[in-house]
Amino acid sequence: MKKIGGYMVFFGLFAIVLNFLGRVPTILMWIYKWGETPAWAIKIGLVVIGAVLFFKGKADDVSENDVQEESTSE
């Protein structure tokens, strides 16, 4: 989940920055067919959901490492 979340955050921020430069990433061209407001909502959603997945994945990694360390120290 951490890796997928990182990619989502990257593409969301990438799309936002390119929008200010007057460019649109090809992979996200379809979101502009609905207008500017839905496009912004999708880009911000990518960043927010990606960040949640990234940090949730990070917390899961820590939990798994704790369990492995406890089982090896016994």
Side-chain angles (χ1 to χ4, degrees), residues 7-20:
Y7 285 133
M8 289 175 71
V9 169
F10 172 76
F11 280 117
L13 291 175
F14 186 63
I16 290 170
V17 169
L18 286 180
N19 186 43
F20 287 121

Side-chain angles (χ1 to χ4, degrees), residues 14-62:
F14 186 63
I16 290 170
V17 169
L18 286 180
N19 186 43
F20 287 121
L21 298 175
R23 303 279 187 183
V24 176
T26 308
I27 195 168
L28 294 175
M29 183 70 78
W30 60 274
I31 66 174
Y32 291 96
K33 291 182 181 181
W34 294 324
E36 195 68 27
T37 303
W40 272 103
I42 292 170
K43 291 184 282 189
I44 292 170
L46 272 173
V47 173
V48 171
I49 293 171
V52 168
L53 289 175
F54 181 81
F55 289 115
K56 175 71 174 137
K58 193 172 190 178
D60 289 344
D61 289 344
V62 171

